[in-house]
Amino acid sequence: MKHRRVLRAAVTVAVTGALAAGMTMALTTSANAGTTLRASAAEKGRYFGAAVATGKLSTSAYVTVLNREFNSVVAENEMKWDATEPQQGQFRYTGGDRLVSHAQANGMSVRGHALLWYQQQPGWAQNMSGSTLRSAMINHVTQVATHYRGKIHSWDVVNEAFADGGSGGRRDSNLQRTGNDWIEAAFRAARAADPGAKLCYNDYNTDGINAKSTGIYNMVRDFKSRGVPIDCVGFQSHLGTSLASDYQANLQRFADLGVDVQITELDVMTGGNQANIYGAVTRACMNVSRCTGITVWGVRDCDSWRGSDNALLFDCNGNKKAAYTNVLNALNAGPGIPTDPPTDPPTDPPTDPPTDPPTDPPTVGCSASVSLNSWTGGFVASVKVTAGSAGTSGWNVGFTLPSGASVTNTWSATASGSTGTVRFANVNYNGRLGAGQVTEFGFQGTGSASGVTPTCTAS
Ligand code: 9MR
Protein backbone atom coordinates (compact mmCIF):
# COMPACT_ATOMS: atom_id res chain seq x y z
CA MET A 1 0.00 0.00 0.00
CA LYS A 2 2.75 2.38 1.04
CA HIS A 3 4.75 1.36 -1.98
CA ARG A 4 1.83 2.07 -4.23
CA ARG A 5 1.29 5.52 -2.80
CA VAL A 6 4.95 6.42 -3.24
CA LEU A 7 4.90 5.15 -6.79
CA ARG A 8 1.83 7.14 -7.64
CA ALA A 9 3.27 10.33 -6.20
CA ALA A 10 6.46 9.78 -8.12
CA VAL A 11 4.77 9.68 -11.49
CA THR A 12 2.50 12.60 -10.64
CA VAL A 13 -0.53 11.48 -12.53
CA ALA A 14 -3.46 13.77 -12.09
CA VAL A 15 -4.91 11.76 -9.26
CA THR A 16 -5.49 13.59 -6.02
CA GLY A 17 -6.56 12.91 -2.49
CA ALA A 18 -10.10 13.41 -3.66
CA LEU A 19 -10.23 9.70 -4.37
CA ALA A 20 -12.27 8.82 -1.35
CA ALA A 21 -11.54 5.17 -0.75
CA GLY A 22 -14.41 2.84 -0.25
CA MET A 23 -17.04 4.65 -2.29
CA THR A 24 -18.25 2.08 -4.72
CA MET A 25 -20.15 3.38 -7.70
CA ALA A 26 -19.87 1.10 -10.65
CA LEU A 27 -20.10 3.72 -13.32
CA THR A 28 -18.06 6.55 -11.88
CA THR A 29 -14.44 5.89 -12.45
CA SER A 30 -13.03 8.45 -10.10
CA ALA A 31 -14.61 7.07 -6.94
CA ASN A 32 -12.47 3.94 -7.04
CA ALA A 33 -9.49 5.25 -8.96
CA GLY A 34 -6.31 3.41 -8.25
CA THR A 35 -7.86 0.68 -6.15
CA THR A 36 -9.42 -1.67 -8.68
CA LEU A 37 -8.34 -2.80 -12.12
CA ARG A 38 -11.44 -1.34 -13.74
CA ALA A 39 -11.12 2.06 -12.13
CA SER A 40 -7.40 2.34 -12.78
CA ALA A 41 -7.77 1.28 -16.40
CA ALA A 42 -10.73 3.61 -16.96
CA GLU A 43 -8.78 6.50 -15.53
CA LYS A 44 -6.24 5.90 -18.29
CA GLY A 45 -8.91 5.70 -20.98
CA ARG A 46 -8.73 1.92 -21.21
CA TYR A 47 -10.72 -1.13 -20.21
CA PHE A 48 -9.69 -4.11 -18.12
CA GLY A 49 -11.65 -7.23 -18.94
CA ALA A 50 -12.11 -10.90 -18.13
CA ALA A 51 -13.34 -13.92 -20.04
CA VAL A 52 -16.53 -15.15 -18.44
CA ALA A 53 -18.22 -18.53 -18.43
CA THR A 54 -21.84 -17.45 -18.10
CA GLY A 55 -22.64 -20.52 -16.00
CA LYS A 56 -20.61 -18.88 -13.23
CA LEU A 57 -22.72 -15.73 -13.15
CA SER A 58 -24.79 -17.40 -10.45
CA THR A 59 -21.75 -18.01 -8.20
CA SER A 60 -21.62 -15.04 -5.89
CA ALA A 61 -17.93 -15.30 -4.99
CA TYR A 62 -17.14 -15.17 -8.71
CA VAL A 63 -19.50 -12.31 -9.49
CA THR A 64 -18.21 -10.24 -6.57
CA VAL A 65 -14.69 -10.21 -8.01
CA LEU A 66 -15.91 -9.82 -11.59
CA ASN A 67 -18.07 -6.80 -10.85
CA ARG A 68 -15.56 -5.12 -8.56
CA GLU A 69 -12.49 -5.46 -10.78
CA PHE A 70 -13.54 -5.60 -14.45
CA ASN A 71 -15.24 -3.16 -16.79
CA SER A 72 -15.19 -5.39 -19.87
CA VAL A 73 -16.20 -8.99 -20.46
CA VAL A 74 -15.89 -11.53 -23.23
CA ALA A 75 -17.70 -14.85 -23.47
CA GLU A 76 -15.18 -17.65 -23.01
CA ASN A 77 -17.30 -19.88 -25.26
CA GLU A 78 -20.88 -18.68 -25.64
CA MET A 79 -20.49 -16.49 -28.72
CA LYS A 80 -18.55 -19.06 -30.75
CA TRP A 81 -20.06 -20.58 -33.88
CA ASP A 82 -20.98 -23.93 -32.33
CA ALA A 83 -22.84 -22.11 -29.56
CA THR A 84 -24.62 -19.49 -31.66
CA GLU A 85 -25.62 -21.52 -34.74
CA PRO A 86 -25.79 -25.16 -33.62
CA GLN A 87 -27.97 -26.03 -36.64
CA GLN A 88 -27.61 -24.15 -39.88
CA GLY A 89 -29.85 -21.12 -39.86
CA GLN A 90 -31.01 -21.71 -36.27
CA PHE A 91 -29.44 -19.18 -34.00
CA ARG A 92 -29.16 -19.47 -30.24
CA TYR A 93 -28.13 -16.43 -28.30
CA THR A 94 -29.06 -17.43 -24.75
CA GLY A 95 -25.58 -17.49 -23.22
CA GLY A 96 -24.28 -14.47 -25.09
CA ASP A 97 -27.39 -12.42 -24.31
CA ARG A 98 -27.05 -13.25 -20.64
CA LEU A 99 -23.51 -11.95 -20.64
CA VAL A 100 -24.48 -8.78 -22.49
CA SER A 101 -27.24 -8.09 -19.93
CA HIS A 102 -24.83 -8.61 -17.08
CA ALA A 103 -22.36 -6.25 -18.70
CA GLN A 104 -24.97 -3.57 -19.33
CA ALA A 105 -26.20 -3.76 -15.76
CA ASN A 106 -22.70 -3.38 -14.39
CA GLY A 107 -21.13 -0.71 -16.57
CA MET A 108 -19.02 -3.12 -18.60
CA SER A 109 -18.31 -3.16 -22.31
CA VAL A 110 -18.36 -6.44 -24.23
CA ARG A 111 -15.76 -7.98 -26.52
CA GLY A 112 -17.29 -10.38 -29.04
CA HIS A 113 -15.40 -13.65 -29.52
CA ALA A 114 -15.31 -15.03 -32.17
CA LEU A 115 -17.26 -14.85 -35.41
CA LEU A 116 -15.06 -17.22 -37.44
CA TRP A 117 -12.54 -19.72 -36.13
CA TYR A 118 -11.31 -23.03 -37.47
CA GLN A 119 -12.15 -24.58 -34.08
CA GLN A 120 -15.50 -24.90 -32.31
CA GLN A 121 -17.45 -24.97 -35.52
CA PRO A 122 -20.78 -26.75 -35.43
CA GLY A 123 -20.72 -30.19 -37.05
CA TRP A 124 -22.73 -29.06 -40.06
CA ALA A 125 -20.15 -26.40 -40.92
CA GLN A 126 -17.20 -28.75 -40.40
CA ASN A 127 -18.68 -30.90 -43.14
CA MET A 128 -19.00 -28.06 -45.64
CA SER A 129 -16.58 -26.70 -48.18
CA GLY A 130 -16.26 -24.37 -51.13
CA SER A 131 -18.90 -21.82 -52.00
CA THR A 132 -21.51 -23.49 -49.76
CA LEU A 133 -19.27 -22.95 -46.76
CA ARG A 134 -18.31 -19.45 -47.89
CA SER A 135 -21.92 -18.43 -48.08
CA ALA A 136 -22.76 -20.11 -44.74
CA MET A 137 -19.86 -18.47 -42.95
CA ILE A 138 -20.60 -15.01 -44.24
CA ASN A 139 -24.23 -15.51 -43.28
CA HIS A 140 -23.06 -16.49 -39.80
CA VAL A 141 -21.01 -13.30 -39.50
CA THR A 142 -23.91 -11.20 -40.75
CA GLN A 143 -26.52 -12.77 -38.50
CA VAL A 144 -24.53 -12.80 -35.27
CA ALA A 145 -23.06 -9.32 -35.72
CA THR A 146 -26.56 -8.05 -36.56
CA HIS A 147 -28.04 -9.65 -33.47
CA TYR A 148 -25.46 -7.95 -31.27
CA ARG A 149 -25.36 -4.72 -33.27
CA GLY A 150 -24.65 -1.74 -31.04
CA LYS A 151 -23.75 -3.91 -28.04
CA ILE A 152 -20.22 -5.00 -28.86
CA HIS A 153 -17.15 -2.84 -28.28
CA SER A 154 -14.85 -5.00 -30.41
CA TRP A 155 -15.44 -8.20 -32.37
CA ASP A 156 -12.86 -10.87 -32.97
CA VAL A 157 -14.10 -11.27 -36.53
CA VAL A 158 -11.49 -13.88 -37.36
CA ASN A 159 -9.55 -15.89 -34.81
CA GLU A 160 -6.31 -17.84 -35.28
CA ALA A 161 -6.08 -17.95 -39.07
CA PHE A 162 -2.28 -17.94 -39.26
CA ALA A 163 0.00 -20.95 -39.03
CA ASP A 164 2.48 -21.54 -36.25
CA GLY A 165 6.12 -21.98 -37.10
CA GLY A 166 8.25 -20.10 -39.53
CA SER A 167 6.10 -19.85 -42.63
CA GLY A 168 4.28 -16.65 -41.74
CA GLY A 169 1.42 -17.97 -43.87
CA ARG A 170 -2.16 -18.95 -43.33
CA ARG A 171 -3.23 -21.98 -41.36
CA ASP A 172 -4.94 -24.65 -43.43
CA SER A 173 -8.62 -25.01 -42.56
CA ASN A 174 -11.96 -25.50 -44.25
CA LEU A 175 -12.39 -21.71 -44.03
CA GLN A 176 -9.04 -21.03 -45.69
CA ARG A 177 -9.85 -23.50 -48.46
CA THR A 178 -12.81 -21.36 -49.52
CA GLY A 179 -10.26 -18.86 -50.88
CA ASN A 180 -7.59 -16.59 -49.46
CA ASP A 181 -10.01 -13.66 -49.44
CA TRP A 182 -12.22 -15.25 -46.77
CA ILE A 183 -10.83 -13.02 -44.04
CA GLU A 184 -11.54 -9.78 -45.85
CA ALA A 185 -14.99 -11.02 -46.87
CA ALA A 186 -15.69 -11.69 -43.18
CA PHE A 187 -14.54 -8.22 -42.14
CA ARG A 188 -16.68 -6.56 -44.79
CA ALA A 189 -19.74 -8.53 -43.73
CA ALA A 190 -19.11 -7.66 -40.08
CA ARG A 191 -18.76 -3.96 -40.88
CA ALA A 192 -21.99 -3.97 -42.84
CA ALA A 193 -23.83 -5.72 -39.99
CA ASP A 194 -22.49 -3.62 -37.11
CA PRO A 195 -20.78 -0.44 -38.27
CA GLY A 196 -20.22 0.68 -34.66
CA ALA A 197 -18.12 -2.26 -33.48
CA LYS A 198 -14.36 -2.26 -33.78
CA LEU A 199 -13.34 -5.19 -35.93
CA CYS A 200 -10.31 -7.17 -34.78
CA TYR A 201 -8.12 -9.98 -36.03
CA ASN A 202 -7.07 -12.12 -33.03
CA ASP A 203 -4.25 -14.67 -32.64
CA TYR A 204 -1.73 -16.31 -30.27
CA ASN A 205 2.05 -16.86 -30.43
CA THR A 206 2.28 -13.28 -31.61
CA ASP A 207 4.01 -12.02 -28.49
CA GLY A 208 6.99 -10.51 -30.22
CA ILE A 209 8.28 -9.85 -33.70
CA ASN A 210 8.29 -13.33 -35.24
CA ALA A 211 7.29 -15.02 -38.48
CA LYS A 212 3.67 -15.45 -37.42
CA SER A 213 3.16 -11.91 -36.16
CA THR A 214 4.89 -10.59 -39.28
CA GLY A 215 2.52 -12.57 -41.49
CA ILE A 216 -0.38 -10.95 -39.68
CA TYR A 217 1.30 -7.56 -39.84
CA ASN A 218 1.58 -7.87 -43.62
CA MET A 219 -2.09 -8.79 -43.89
CA VAL A 220 -3.15 -5.80 -41.79
CA ARG A 221 -0.95 -3.48 -43.85
CA ASP A 222 -2.48 -4.86 -47.03
CA PHE A 223 -6.02 -4.48 -45.62
CA LYS A 224 -5.36 -0.89 -44.63
CA SER A 225 -3.95 -0.07 -48.07
CA ARG A 226 -6.97 -1.55 -49.84
CA GLY A 227 -9.64 -0.18 -47.53
CA VAL A 228 -10.65 -3.53 -46.04
CA PRO A 229 -12.37 -2.58 -42.78
CA ILE A 230 -10.09 -3.63 -39.91
CA ASP A 231 -9.79 -1.60 -36.71
CA CYS A 232 -7.79 -3.66 -34.26
CA VAL A 233 -5.51 -6.60 -33.68
CA GLY A 234 -5.86 -8.82 -30.63
CA PHE A 235 -2.79 -10.37 -29.05
CA GLN A 236 -4.01 -13.32 -27.01
CA SER A 237 -0.88 -13.51 -24.87
CA HIS A 238 -1.17 -16.98 -23.37
CA LEU A 239 2.28 -16.77 -21.84
CA GLY A 240 4.86 -19.10 -20.35
CA THR A 241 7.71 -18.26 -17.99
CA SER A 242 9.30 -15.46 -19.99
CA LEU A 243 8.20 -12.53 -22.10
CA ALA A 244 9.68 -11.63 -25.49
CA SER A 245 11.85 -8.55 -25.11
CA ASP A 246 10.18 -7.00 -28.14
CA TYR A 247 6.63 -7.52 -26.88
CA GLN A 248 5.97 -3.77 -26.72
CA ALA A 249 7.79 -3.05 -29.99
CA ASN A 250 5.55 -5.59 -31.69
CA LEU A 251 2.39 -3.92 -30.38
CA GLN A 252 3.76 -0.57 -31.49
CA ARG A 253 4.49 -1.66 -35.06
CA PHE A 254 0.87 -2.74 -35.47
CA ALA A 255 -0.37 0.49 -33.90
CA ASP A 256 1.78 2.37 -36.40
CA LEU A 257 -0.25 0.76 -39.20
CA GLY A 258 -3.27 2.67 -37.91
CA VAL A 259 -5.09 -0.02 -35.93
CA ASP A 260 -5.79 -0.32 -32.23
CA VAL A 261 -4.14 -3.16 -30.38
CA GLN A 262 -5.64 -5.09 -27.50
CA ILE A 263 -4.33 -7.79 -25.17
CA THR A 264 -7.18 -10.23 -25.47
CA GLU A 265 -6.64 -13.49 -23.56
CA LEU A 266 -3.85 -12.85 -21.11
CA ASP A 267 -2.79 -15.60 -18.75
CA VAL A 268 0.70 -16.49 -17.52
CA MET A 269 2.26 -19.74 -16.32
CA THR A 270 2.72 -19.74 -12.57
CA GLY A 271 6.21 -19.55 -11.10
CA GLY A 272 8.70 -16.96 -10.01
CA ASN A 273 8.18 -14.78 -13.02
CA GLN A 274 4.41 -14.70 -13.18
CA ALA A 275 3.90 -11.41 -11.35
CA ASN A 276 6.75 -9.75 -13.26
CA ILE A 277 5.38 -10.85 -16.61
CA TYR A 278 1.91 -9.60 -15.77
CA GLY A 279 3.43 -6.25 -14.81
CA ALA A 280 5.55 -6.07 -17.96
CA VAL A 281 2.62 -6.86 -20.27
CA THR A 282 0.53 -4.17 -18.60
CA ARG A 283 3.33 -1.63 -18.88
CA ALA A 284 3.81 -2.47 -22.54
CA CYS A 285 0.14 -1.84 -23.22
CA MET A 286 0.18 1.42 -21.29
CA ASN A 287 3.22 2.58 -23.25
CA VAL A 288 1.43 2.12 -26.58
CA SER A 289 -1.21 4.79 -26.91
CA ARG A 290 -3.32 2.67 -29.26
CA CYS A 291 -3.36 -0.25 -26.80
CA THR A 292 -6.94 0.28 -25.66
CA GLY A 293 -7.45 -2.54 -23.20
CA ILE A 294 -6.38 -5.78 -21.57
CA THR A 295 -8.49 -8.89 -21.07
CA VAL A 296 -7.42 -11.79 -18.86
CA TRP A 297 -8.72 -15.23 -19.84
CA GLY A 298 -10.71 -15.94 -16.68
CA VAL A 299 -11.18 -14.55 -13.19
CA ARG A 300 -9.74 -16.97 -10.59
CA ASP A 301 -7.05 -19.61 -11.08
CA CYS A 302 -9.66 -22.34 -10.83
CA ASP A 303 -11.72 -20.77 -13.62
CA SER A 304 -8.85 -21.07 -16.09
CA TRP A 305 -8.66 -23.41 -19.08
CA ARG A 306 -5.01 -23.85 -18.04
CA GLY A 307 -5.96 -25.95 -15.03
CA SER A 308 -3.04 -26.38 -12.65
CA ASP A 309 -1.04 -23.53 -14.18
CA ASN A 310 -2.66 -21.08 -11.72
CA ALA A 311 -2.36 -18.57 -14.53
CA LEU A 312 -4.67 -15.76 -13.42
CA LEU A 313 -4.77 -12.76 -11.08
CA PHE A 314 -6.91 -14.21 -8.27
CA ASP A 315 -6.48 -17.48 -6.39
CA CYS A 316 -9.32 -19.96 -6.20
CA ASN A 317 -10.76 -18.15 -3.17
CA GLY A 318 -10.82 -14.85 -5.00
CA ASN A 319 -7.79 -13.42 -3.17
CA LYS A 320 -5.55 -11.02 -5.07
CA LYS A 321 -2.19 -12.49 -6.07
CA ALA A 322 1.15 -10.73 -6.45
CA ALA A 323 0.42 -10.56 -10.16
CA TYR A 324 -2.68 -8.51 -9.41
CA THR A 325 -0.66 -5.94 -7.49
CA ASN A 326 1.82 -5.61 -10.33
CA VAL A 327 -0.94 -5.08 -12.86
CA LEU A 328 -2.68 -2.49 -10.71
CA ASN A 329 0.57 -0.62 -10.11
CA ALA A 330 1.37 -0.63 -13.81
CA LEU A 331 -2.10 0.70 -14.67
CA ASN A 332 -1.75 3.46 -12.09
CA ALA A 333 1.75 4.39 -13.22
CA GLY A 334 1.08 4.31 -16.94
CA PRO A 335 0.24 7.22 -19.19
CA GLY A 336 -3.34 7.83 -20.29
CA ILE A 337 -4.48 7.58 -23.88
CA PRO A 338 -4.19 11.00 -25.51
CA THR A 339 -7.72 12.18 -26.16
CA ASP A 340 -8.39 12.34 -29.87
CA PRO A 341 -12.22 12.19 -29.99
CA PRO A 342 -12.60 15.83 -31.02
CA THR A 343 -10.97 15.10 -34.35
CA ASP A 344 -13.16 12.11 -35.27
CA PRO A 345 -16.85 13.04 -35.02
CA PRO A 346 -16.92 16.18 -37.15
CA THR A 347 -15.71 14.39 -40.26
CA ASP A 348 -18.48 11.81 -40.73
CA PRO A 349 -21.92 12.94 -39.62
CA PRO A 350 -22.35 16.30 -41.32
CA THR A 351 -21.45 14.98 -44.76
CA ASP A 352 -23.56 11.80 -44.89
CA PRO A 353 -27.17 12.46 -43.91
CA PRO A 354 -27.98 15.29 -46.31
CA THR A 355 -26.77 13.40 -49.36
CA ASP A 356 -28.81 10.20 -49.00
CA PRO A 357 -32.47 11.07 -48.44
CA PRO A 358 -33.03 13.34 -51.43
CA THR A 359 -31.77 10.75 -53.92
CA ASP A 360 -33.65 7.59 -53.02
CA PRO A 361 -36.93 8.46 -51.26
CA PRO A 362 -39.93 7.07 -53.10
CA THR A 363 -38.40 3.94 -54.62
CA VAL A 364 -40.75 1.04 -54.71
CA GLY A 365 -37.96 -1.25 -55.91
CA CYS A 366 -34.51 -0.52 -54.59
CA SER A 367 -31.68 1.95 -54.96
CA ALA A 368 -27.95 1.46 -54.81
CA SER A 369 -24.98 3.67 -54.14
CA VAL A 370 -21.32 2.87 -54.48
CA SER A 371 -18.24 4.04 -52.71
CA LEU A 372 -14.92 3.36 -54.40
CA ASN A 373 -11.52 2.87 -52.90
CA SER A 374 -9.16 3.10 -55.86
CA TRP A 375 -5.45 2.84 -56.40
CA THR A 376 -3.34 2.66 -59.53
CA GLY A 377 -4.45 -0.48 -61.32
CA GLY A 378 -7.23 -1.54 -59.00
CA PHE A 379 -10.21 -0.74 -56.84
CA VAL A 380 -12.60 -2.00 -54.21
CA ALA A 381 -16.25 -1.04 -54.56
CA SER A 382 -18.54 -1.08 -51.52
CA VAL A 383 -22.15 -1.04 -52.61
CA LYS A 384 -25.10 -0.13 -50.43
CA VAL A 385 -28.49 -1.49 -51.49
CA THR A 386 -31.54 0.20 -50.01
CA ALA A 387 -34.96 -1.36 -50.34
CA GLY A 388 -37.83 0.86 -51.45
CA SER A 389 -41.15 1.18 -49.70
CA ALA A 390 -42.30 -2.31 -50.69
CA GLY A 391 -39.21 -4.10 -49.41
CA THR A 392 -37.51 -6.77 -51.53
CA SER A 393 -37.41 -10.51 -51.76
CA GLY A 394 -34.35 -10.24 -53.99
CA TRP A 395 -32.30 -7.58 -55.75
CA ASN A 396 -29.95 -7.17 -58.64
CA VAL A 397 -27.46 -4.35 -59.14
CA GLY A 398 -25.87 -3.58 -62.49
CA PHE A 399 -22.75 -1.61 -63.36
CA THR A 400 -21.25 -0.77 -66.70
CA LEU A 401 -17.52 -0.83 -66.16
CA PRO A 402 -15.17 1.28 -68.26
CA SER A 403 -13.09 -0.67 -70.73
CA GLY A 404 -10.01 -2.18 -69.13
CA ALA A 405 -11.79 -2.71 -65.80
CA SER A 406 -12.51 -6.22 -64.65
CA VAL A 407 -14.09 -7.72 -61.52
CA THR A 408 -11.83 -10.23 -59.82
CA ASN A 409 -13.60 -10.93 -56.58
CA THR A 410 -17.07 -10.40 -55.07
CA TRP A 411 -18.47 -10.76 -51.55
CA SER A 412 -22.03 -10.90 -50.24
CA ALA A 413 -23.40 -11.05 -53.82
CA THR A 414 -23.09 -13.25 -56.89
CA ALA A 415 -21.57 -11.63 -59.95
CA SER A 416 -22.43 -12.42 -63.53
CA GLY A 417 -19.85 -11.22 -65.98
CA SER A 418 -16.60 -9.54 -65.10
CA THR A 419 -16.17 -6.85 -67.75
CA GLY A 420 -18.50 -4.41 -69.45
CA THR A 421 -21.97 -4.74 -67.95
CA VAL A 422 -21.66 -6.75 -64.76
CA ARG A 423 -24.64 -7.72 -62.63
CA PHE A 424 -24.63 -8.58 -58.94
CA ALA A 425 -27.48 -10.60 -57.47
CA ASN A 426 -28.22 -11.01 -53.78
CA VAL A 427 -27.06 -14.19 -52.05
CA ASN A 428 -29.52 -16.28 -50.06
CA TYR A 429 -29.18 -14.39 -46.78
CA ASN A 430 -29.39 -10.77 -47.90
CA GLY A 431 -32.10 -10.70 -50.57
CA ARG A 432 -35.05 -10.17 -48.29
CA LEU A 433 -35.11 -6.57 -47.06
CA GLY A 434 -37.82 -4.67 -45.24
CA ALA A 435 -38.93 -1.24 -46.45
CA GLY A 436 -35.97 1.12 -46.33
CA GLN A 437 -33.63 -1.58 -45.06
CA VAL A 438 -30.03 -1.48 -46.20
CA THR A 439 -27.55 -4.22 -47.00
CA GLU A 440 -24.07 -4.06 -48.43
CA PHE A 441 -21.98 -6.08 -50.80
CA GLY A 442 -18.69 -5.44 -52.50
CA PHE A 443 -16.37 -6.34 -55.28
CA GLN A 444 -12.77 -5.88 -56.16
CA GLY A 445 -11.33 -5.33 -59.57
CA THR A 446 -8.40 -4.41 -61.72
CA GLY A 447 -8.26 -1.29 -63.84
CA SER A 448 -10.30 1.77 -62.97
CA ALA A 449 -13.97 1.96 -62.05
CA SER A 450 -14.13 5.68 -61.54
CA GLY A 451 -17.43 7.26 -62.47
CA VAL A 452 -19.49 4.06 -62.42
CA THR A 453 -23.08 4.31 -61.26
CA PRO A 454 -25.22 1.40 -60.11
CA THR A 455 -28.79 0.61 -61.14
CA CYS A 456 -30.87 -1.51 -58.82
CA THR A 457 -33.86 -3.69 -59.60
CA ALA A 458 -35.86 -5.50 -56.96
CA SER A 459 -37.99 -8.60 -57.10
O1 9MR B 1 -11.09 -21.20 -22.70
C1 9MR B 1 -11.76 -21.84 -23.77
C2 9MR B 1 -12.12 -23.26 -23.40
O2 9MR B 1 -13.11 -23.25 -22.37
C3 9MR B 1 -12.62 -24.01 -24.60
O3 9MR B 1 -12.82 -25.36 -24.27
C4 9MR B 1 -11.61 -23.89 -25.72
C5 9MR B 1 -12.12 -24.60 -26.95
O4 9MR B 1 -11.19 -24.70 -27.94
O5 9MR B 1 -11.40 -22.52 -26.04
C6 9MR B 1 -10.84 -21.83 -24.97
O6 9MR B 1 -10.61 -20.50 -25.35
C7 9MR B 1 -9.68 -20.31 -26.42
C8 9MR B 1 -10.11 -19.08 -27.18
O7 9MR B 1 -11.44 -19.21 -27.59
C9 9MR B 1 -9.21 -18.80 -28.37
N1 9MR B 1 -7.82 -18.75 -27.98
C10 9MR B 1 -7.34 -19.84 -27.15
C11 9MR B 1 -8.25 -20.03 -25.94
C12 9MR B 1 -7.70 -21.11 -25.02
O8 9MR B 1 -7.69 -22.34 -25.67
Side-chain angles (χ1 to χ4, degrees):
M1 195 58 193
K2 184 161 182 240
H3 173 67
R4 194 190 309 146
R5 228 177 271 134
V6 170
L7 187 62
R8 220 186 293 149
V11 295
T12 52
V13 269
V15 184
T16 69
L19 310 174
M23 288 173 62
T24 36
M25 284 192 58
L27 290 170
T28 41
T29 56
S30 61
N32 262 350
T35 66
T36 65
L37 302 174
R38 63 179 288 164
S40 298
E43 193 169 84
K44 301 298 164 67
R46 294 173 164 95
Y47 66 80
F48 204 95
V52 169
T54 52
K56 290 183 180 156
L57 290 176
S58 42
T59 304
S60 71
Y62 177 88
V63 175
T64 301
V65 179
L66 178 69
N67 289 359
R68 186 187 70 221
E69 298 290 343
F70 299 95
N71 60 357
S72 166
V73 284
V74 59
E76 188 171 357
N77 289 299
E78 286 88 344
M79 289 195 195
K80 293 172 182 174
W81 196 351
D82 60 348
T84 51
E85 196 181 1
Q87 304 298 328
Q88 187 172 17
Q90 288 175 24
F91 291 86
R92 190 178 60 186
Y93 296 114
T94 334
D97 286 357
R98 183 161 177 218
L99 184 62
V100 169
S101 306
H102 184 91
Q104 289 175 341
N106 291 282
M108 300 164 169
S109 60
V110 182
R111 292 197 84 260
H113 174 85
L115 291 170
L116 293 178
W117 185 21
Y118 75 97
Q119 283 189 24
Q120 282 185 269
Q121 296 179 8
W124 62 265
Q126 290 174 33
N127 293 330
M128 277 183 178
S129 62
S131 58
T132 323
L133 175 60
R134 172 65 72 99
S135 157
M137 71 204 224
I138 296 298
N139 184 48
H140 179 76
V141 170
T142 300
Q143 298 296 331
V144 177
T146 299
H147 176 81
Y148 287 112
R149 183 183 193 133
K151 296 175 178 163
I152 301 293
H153 175 285
S154 299
W155 262 117
D156 291 335
V157 178
V158 169
N159 190 45
E160 300 176 12
F162 276 72
D164 290 312
S167 76
R170 299 283 181 87
R171 173 194 297 280
D172 178 51
S173 71
N174 59 341
L175 305 173
Q176 179 63 28
R177 276 176 252 128
T178 69
N180 204 50
D181 63 341
W182 72 277
I183 298 184
E184 59 192 86
F187 274 81
R188 291 183 195 283
R191 176 70 95 229
D194 186 355
K198 289 199 180 278
L199 305 182
C200 303
Y201 175 80
N202 190 50
D203 217 326
Y204 67 93
N205 279 353
T206 52
D207 313 307
I209 298 177
N210 57 37
K212 187 173 178 181
S213 64
T214 298
I216 296 164
Y217 176 88
N218 289 337
M219 177 187 75
V220 174
R221 190 174 52 186
D222 169 55
F223 279 13
K224 293 298 282 183
S225 77
R226 291 191 292 113
V228 178
I230 184 166
D231 307 305
C232 38
V233 175
F235 298 81
Q236 293 185 10
S237 307
H238 294 293
L239 300 172
T241 52
S242 64
L243 183 68
S245 58
D246 52 6
Y247 185 88
Q248 181 180 320
N250 188 46
L251 299 181
Q252 186 65 57
R253 72 171 173 155
F254 279 84
D256 291 343
L257 289 176
V259 288
D260 289 345
V261 294
Q262 304 175 358
I263 313 304
T264 50
E265 303 183 14
L266 179 61
D267 50 22
V268 183
M269 178 96 71
T270 197
N273 252 345
Q274 184 184 56
N276 291 338
I277 292 173
Y278 263 110
V281 168
T282 310
R283 277 192 299 281
C285 178
M286 300 305 280
N287 288 338
V288 174
S289 62
R290 290 199 76 142
C291 183
T292 58
I294 299 175
T295 300
V296 288
W297 204 242
V299 177
R300 304 162 303 182
D301 283 340
C302 299
D303 301 318
S304 170
W305 72 294
R306 292 179 67 161
S308 57
D309 272 358
N310 292 326
L312 294 171
L313 298 176
F314 297 87
D315 70 18
C316 294
N317 295 318
N319 298 312
K320 299 168 183 173
K321 294 164 59 181
Y324 171 95
T325 309
N326 281 7
V327 169
L328 188 69
N329 287 345
L331 292 172
N332 285 332
I337 292 184
T339 42
D340 52 20
T343 56
D344 275 337
T347 54
D348 272 324
T351 53
D352 273 338
T355 54
D356 269 334
T359 56
D360 41 46
T363 20
V364 172
C366 57
S367 62
S369 60
V370 63
S371 119
L372 283 177
N373 178 13
S374 304
W375 61 94
T376 313
F379 63 90
V380 164
S382 303
V383 187
K384 214 193 250 187
V385 177
T386 306
S389 48
T392 65
S393 53
W395 45 260
N396 195 294
V397 175
F399 285 90
T400 301
L401 296 179
S403 70
S406 172
V407 174
T408 54
N409 176 29
T410 303
W411 50 94
S412 306
T414 305
S416 35
S418 59
T419 56
T421 300
V422 184
R423 303 211 65 89
F424 298 89
N426 64 275
V427 283
N428 59 4
Y429 56 84
N430 63 9
R432 188 168 295 281
L433 301 174
Q437 208 183 334
V438 176
T439 190
E440 288 185 44
F441 72 93
F443 57 97
Q444 186 175 343
T446 52
S448 164
S450 74
V452 289
T453 49
T455 53
C456 190
T457 49
S459 54

